Amino acid sequence: MDVSHLLDELNDAQREAVTADDNHVLVLAGAGSGKTRVLIHRLAWLIQVGHVSPLSILAVTFTNKAAGEMRERAQDLLQVSTRPLWIGTFHSIAHRMLRMHWREAELDENFQIIDSDDQHRLLRRLIREEGLDENQFPARQAQWFINARKDEGQRPPAIEHMDHPLTAAWVHLYERYQSHCERTGLVDFAELLLRAHELWLKQPDLLGHYRRRLTHLLVDEFQDTNTIQYAWIRMLAGDTGQVFVVGDDDQSIYGWRGARVENVEFFVRDFPRVQTVRLEQNYRSTGNILAAANALIANNEGRMGKNLWTAGEEGQPIQVYAAFNEQEEARFVVERIERWMSEGRRAEQAAIVYRTTAQSRLFEEYLLKASIPYRVYGGLRFFERAEIRDALAYLRMLHNPNDDAAFERIINTPSRGIGQKTVSLLRLQARETGLPLWQAAIECVKQDTLNGRAKNAVSAFLELISAMRERMSDWTLGNQVEGVIEQSELVRHYEKEPREKMEARVENLRELTNAAESFVLTAEDEEAGLSPMQSFLSHAALEAGETQGEAWDDCVQLMTLHSAKGLEFPLVFMVGLEDGLFPHQRSVQESGGRLEEERRLCYVGMTRARELLYLSYAEVRRMFGSESHSRPSRFLDEIPAQLIEEIRPRMGTRSPWVSARPAVASRGGGLGEPGQPFRLGQTVRHRKFGEGTVVTFEGSGEHARVQVNFFDAGPKWLVLAYANLESD
Ligand code: ATP
Ligand code: MG
């Protein structure tokens, strides 16, 4: 059989991994060295050469989008349908298992997935009900506590808290939360994984069945697996399964969410005869980009150590841009994208990556102004928009009226005269009787516990939902969605908003109907016995956590550094490289390797670039309504100067807030505007006002004035000739 197409495009080390014998394999290699490519070729190799049935392969990726791409690429290689393959994220695979085996997993048949926002609301409610002080027990922290425990595989009884009253309180809350979820058929993201793991533990027969069936397990981005995911893989592999994992310790960026890079070491320890393959040739980036990324990551300690090289061209130096402020940064980036496009390149080849989601807004604004199409990837996700969540909550109620999170969301949306007081009464009833809110509401109406008006309003709501359920039970999915939007009168709810906003919401709701109409039940979900509605709702919940998976037109791509993992683009702008923003403030203040994780994130960002990489920062940034001055990111200093080309704002380009002649900003010192003793951003001392940062210059010669933002005394204009400012 000719298998050259599986091996031709691989180097020796890559071939070694793809063709490895019946061992477990760990491919440990740096960014862009072909790990994902190797994993896909391995998958094809197993089927074509190893005669492994596609039904016996389970491949795990990091996003649903990556799963789709993997399926396509494997199909190209194999020239046969890859439908029977199990490819997905840990969450989607766990979800599917639980749907198929809801009984064994002791779940409600119609269990609903709640996302992080629902979970937060629910916890806030429980904290209030427990009479706990919300300052001492913030819902965010509760969420963090519970999810972290679940990621570690711990149920409340397993958590030690003998001597810690505070921990005991959290554990109690975890217990309350969990029993609430059990009662109302809700499953959060962390629960999906833990429950799927417990399914193995509690059902040895089922585990045995899957061990016999799924003989080959492949995992991409292995460095970002958490404890429970690792345990799940181990359990499924047993003594007979073959495991093939690829990863890069330098790209572990989810430690803050429970990922454990140690799993890479554990893998070698826990599995017998692991064949480790290292890939050292990078095929993605130019020499300069790679050298810069290598130099940066060398500042981390305790790395597993890798040597990455490229046979490619050196390429252009890394372009570093110091902007006056964030507006100017955005304008610059968009200008450069225009230039790129005027050279005949496509918009989709350019990506703007940033540390925090809020940064996307300005770039969107400038791209809009320049009429350049763009797409925010993993930004404000379609399924997370308020109107979409409202409509989905109605659908969830039709499906499972015991879904408390959905009940809370729509009981008074649109407004039907059910106030907080009434809702509190319903909650009280629910708590006392141990019933879901829906049933508690029925009880309240029956028992006349509510006053006349409230009673009427609540029973009207109950009737509305019941009538919708009855009427729509045999409608198609698309019609159900359309019907829900119409009969819930949701649009009325948005009418008080400004016209544009409301129109956008209505448009989104229409889009939801389109999405439902064109929704196709996947073979996997069909096999798992899901109804189209169940499948659609789960899809909405799981997709919301990550990217917009649709195919895109020729658009500039905007995304956070976290969601850029695994991707590559010819042109990359990494923006907002300021200390405090990136590295993020928290990472600088906290110990525990947070700063190193930020550095890995920077490494991930830089290594997305194939041809040209821009790094930019703003000297002044307006955030949360106030302006702050910051130093350029320390990561910039870690890139060797000879690899960098500094671009300065062109003379005559007026920064919007510099009232007179703009001074030239620079990084690293000594390069101020000729004739000016200070640089923008430089720290200076004044006898009376103390220390501050130079923010603006005006005029020249003896009239030169400077604005300094003093740390204690605030911003002041000073005449340079008299101010006697000192600097280091
Ligand atoms: P990351 O760490 O960012 O996930 P990776 O190690 O998974 O990267 P890939 O995405 O698989 O790397 O590959 C990076 C790029 O190099 C891709 O464009 C891929 O097609 C190309 N590539 C990989 N191996 C080879 C090869 N042997 N010959 C030519 N191109 C290759
Ligand atoms: Mg990859």
Side-chain angles (χ1 to χ4, degrees):
M1 186 186 6
D2 181 19
V3 289
S4 54
H5 63 292
L6 297 181
L7 301 177
D8 276 357
E9 293 175 334
L10 301 176
N11 65 31
D12 289 348
Q14 291 175 332
R15 274 183 207 166
E16 184 194 336
V18 167
T19 60
D21 294 337
D22 301 345
N23 281 332
H24 301 296
V25 178
L26 162 69
V27 178
L28 182 64
S33 58
K35 294 184 296 299
T36 303
R37 176 185 274 222
V38 161
L39 189 118
I40 294 167
H41 282 242
R42 170 71 173 181
L43 194 155
W45 176 268
L46 286 172
I47 294 173
Q48 204 148 56
V49 181
H51 302 295
V52 175
S53 158
L55 285 169
S56 300
I57 297 180
L58 177 73
V60 188
T61 60
F62 209 73
T63 61
N64 289 319
K65 182 169 184 290
E69 281 171 12
M70 185 168 290
R71 193 180 285 285
E72 252 171 54
R73 283 173 67 183
Q75 191 149 316
D76 285 349
L77 282 175
L78 289 166
Q79 296 296 317
V80 294
S81 165
T82 47
R83 264 175 84 88
L85 281 170
W86 269 29
I87 303 182
T89 61
F90 274 108
H91 285 101
S92 69
I93 291 166
H95 170 246
R96 187 175 161 190
M97 287 274 175
L98 296 177
R99 284 285 177 207
M100 289 200 289
H101 305 291
W102 56 271
R103 219 178 255 118
E104 293 92 330
E106 295 167 29
L107 281 169
D108 189 289
E109 183 177 3
N110 287 326
F111 74 85
Q112 293 294 328
I113 305 173
I114 50 168
D115 64 15
S116 151
D117 199 46
D118 285 331
Q119 190 189 29
H120 182 253
R121 282 161 180 258
L122 181 55
L123 279 163
R124 204 171 53 195
R125 183 185 128 199
L126 294 177
I127 287 167
R128 283 186 194 154
E129 282 184 9
E130 286 293 299
L132 294 169
D133 175 1
E134 282 181 77
N135 290 322
Q136 207 189 349
F137 294 91
R140 283 261 166 263
Q141 206 171 329
Q143 208 173 354
W144 181 85
F145 179 86
I146 292 170
N147 294 344
R149 298 302 144 143
K150 288 189 178 183
D151 284 345
E152 290 293 315
Q154 290 181 316
R155 292 292 183 193
I159 304 171
E160 299 227 351
H161 56 76
M162 290 313 196
D163 314 324
H164 297 94
L166 199 62
T167 314
W170 287 123
V171 173
H172 174 69
L173 198 63
Y174 178 4
E175 229 160 8
R176 275 273 288 142
Y177 166 80
Q178 198 53 39
S179 65
H180 182 92
C181 289
E182 304 287 336
R183 212 168 48 238
T184 53
L186 301 180
V187 171
D188 61 53
F189 288 159
E191 182 73 18
L192 282 174
L193 302 175
L194 177 54
R195 204 69 167 222
H197 182 246
E198 288 172 346
L199 186 63
W200 295 155
L201 283 175
K202 290 184 190 156
Q203 305 286 334
D205 291 349
L206 201 64
L207 175 62
H209 164 78
Y210 279 104
R211 276 183 178 166
R212 282 187 299 278
R213 175 179 162 184
L214 296 168
T215 49
H216 289 77
L217 316 175
L218 297 93
V219 187
D220 197 0
E221 306 276 5
F222 185 68
Q223 76 281 354
D224 273 327
T225 49
N226 66 23
T227 300
I228 201 79
Q229 290 165 342
Y230 180 68
W232 191 81
I233 285 286
R234 255 189 98 183
M235 187 90 93
L236 182 57
D239 294 331
T240 50
Q242 269 183 44
V243 188
F244 186 97
V245 304
V246 309
D248 176 7
D249 56 308
D250 289 331
Q251 293 187 73
S252 141
I253 54 176
Y254 282 95
W256 57 281
R257 227 170 56 181
R260 292 189 176 265
V261 66
E262 304 88 284
N263 285 345
V264 175
E265 281 157 5
F266 294 166
F267 182 73
V268 181
R269 185 195 68 190
D270 297 338
F271 287 81
R273 295 183 314 282
V274 172
Q275 183 172 342
T276 301
V277 179
R278 287 174 184 265
L279 310 176
E280 307 207 311
Q281 182 170 0
N282 172 294
Y283 288 93
R284 180 180 292 148
S285 311
T286 63
N288 278 328
I289 294 171
L290 192 62
N294 281 344
L296 173 100
I297 200 67
N299 290 287
N300 272 4
E301 285 173 11
R303 301 170 56 219
M304 293 173 190
K306 268 167 288 158
N307 226 346
L308 263 190
W309 60 277
T310 172
E313 292 171 14
E314 249 183 30
Q316 290 192 51
I318 315 293
Q319 309 285 301
V320 173
Y321 184 73
F324 290 111
N325 60 16
E326 77 282 6
Q327 300 268 351
E328 220 251 328
E329 182 186 44
R331 192 172 49 211
F332 169 78
V333 168
V334 173
E335 251 175 46
R336 290 293 159 127
I337 292 175
E338 280 177 319
R339 188 190 287 184
W340 172 266
M341 290 168 67
S342 73
E343 288 163 3
R345 308 295 301 261
R346 290 198 312 282
E348 67 182 3
Q349 295 177 315
I352 306 175
V353 292
Y354 36 79
R355 179 66 181 84
T356 58
T357 46
Q359 282 166 266
S360 76
R361 196 189 55 80
L362 260 187
F363 293 94
E364 292 184 60
E365 206 175 297
Y366 278 86
L367 285 164
L368 265 176
K369 263 191 226 156
S371 305
I372 299 177
Y374 68 87
R375 189 175 295 262
V376 184
Y377 190 110
L380 186 55
R381 289 148 293 224
F382 182 72
F383 288 115
E384 284 180 6
R385 296 191 172 118
E387 61 278 16
I388 300 300
R389 294 172 61 95
D390 289 342
L392 288 177
Y394 274 93
L395 285 170
R396 281 162 50 181
M397 283 297 285
L398 295 196
H399 196 65
N400 167 17
N402 294 342
D403 182 337
D404 276 6
F407 184 99
E408 291 247 355
R409 187 163 184 105
I410 58 170
I411 172 121
N412 202 35
T413 308
S415 152
R416 48 188 126 246
I418 302 178
Q420 270 310 314
K421 225 175 95 197
T422 309
V423 178
S424 304
L425 275 171
L426 299 181
R427 286 190 196 128
L428 187 70
Q429 172 82 5
R431 198 166 68 232
E432 282 175 355
T433 53
L435 292 171
L437 282 165
W438 171 261
Q439 290 174 30
I442 295 175
E443 287 303 309
C444 281
V445 170
K446 264 198 217 143
Q447 294 166 9
D448 257 347
T449 11
L450 302 168
N451 73 29
R453 254 202 8 240
K455 181 179 157 184
N456 289 342
V458 171
S459 60
F461 173 68
L462 295 174
E463 273 162 31
L464 173 74
I465 299 292
S466 305
M468 277 161 93
R469 279 177 64 126
E470 215 160 283
R471 208 172 309 141
M472 296 183 197
S473 61
D474 54 355
W475 290 14
T476 62
L477 178 60
N479 287 346
Q480 284 189 359
V481 173
E482 199 175 6
V484 155
I485 294 170
E486 213 176 273
Q487 293 172 27
S488 63
E489 296 182 54
L490 266 178
V491 175
R492 168 165 67 84
H493 177 64
Y494 311 120
E495 262 165 7
K496 47 188 180 304
E497 294 184 353
R499 215 188 78 215
E500 263 175 44
K501 207 165 176 183
M502 173 185 140
E503 280 172 4
R505 290 195 196 277
V506 172
E507 215 163 89
N508 286 335
L509 287 174
R510 209 171 293 136
E511 187 56 38
L512 183 69
T513 311
N514 292 342
E517 272 165 3
S518 55
F519 185 77
V520 190
L521 189 66
T522 59
E524 296 164 5
D525 282 356
E526 209 174 335
E527 190 191 327
L530 265 67
S531 69
M533 172 68 82
Q534 267 176 329
S535 174
F536 183 69
L537 287 173
S538 315
H539 169 82
L542 288 170
E543 285 280 289
E546 46 166 84
T547 59
Q548 311 180 85
E550 319 134 47
W552 28 46
D553 312 323
D554 187 17
C555 295
V556 172
Q557 319 214 13
L558 276 67
M559 67 195 77
T560 62
L561 285 153
H562 281 100
S563 45
K565 194 162 93 155
L567 306 177
E568 58 186 27
F569 307 93
L571 173 63
V572 170
F573 296 88
M574 240 168 100
V575 300
L577 274 148
E578 294 133 42
D579 253 18
L581 183 56
F582 189 37
H584 206 274
Q585 192 61 36
R586 276 196 311 270
S587 74
V588 179
Q589 288 160 348
E590 286 174 22
S591 56
R594 287 290 176 90
L595 184 62
E596 294 214 338
E597 181 148 310
E598 292 283 300
R599 191 175 283 112
R600 290 194 292 269
L601 197 54
C602 188
Y603 175 77
V604 167
M606 292 171 74
T607 52
R608 297 312 94 199
R610 288 167 57 171
E611 293 172 36
L612 189 53
L613 172 64
Y614 280 90
L615 306 175
S616 63
Y617 61 94
E619 312 235 320
V620 179
R621 180 175 296 275
R622 178 166 276 279
M623 264 198 311
F624 312 116
S626 66
E627 278 187 348
S628 62
H629 302 260
S630 38
R631 286 161 27 87
S633 170
R634 63 193 69 191
F635 297 148
L636 284 167
D637 292 329
E638 295 175 2
I639 301 172
Q642 70 272 20
L643 300 174
I644 286 180
E645 183 179 332
E646 294 202 37
I647 318 160
R648 291 166 208 298
R650 270 174 293 130
M651 293 303 282
T653 307
R654 293 253 163 138
S655 150
W657 61 277
V658 174
S659 47
R661 207 153 53 104
V664 177
S666 85
R667 187 175 78 78
L671 287 163
E673 190 182 359
Q676 299 289 15
F678 303 113
R679 287 177 284 116
L680 285 186
Q682 186 169 7
T683 305
V684 292
R685 262 184 310 281
H686 184 271
R687 214 156 38 92
K688 187 162 148 215
F689 302 131
E691 273 195 322
T693 319
V694 177
V695 288
T696 317
F697 292 113
E698 200 180 271
S700 58
E702 58 177 316
H703 303 295
R705 299 202 310 153
V706 59
Q707 191 186 27
V708 179
N709 197 4
F710 289 102
F711 299 146
D712 293 327
K716 301 250 180 272
W717 277 104
L718 304 166
V719 177
L720 258 184
Y722 306 116
N724 282 333
L725 291 174
E726 291 172 18
S727 67
D728 295 329

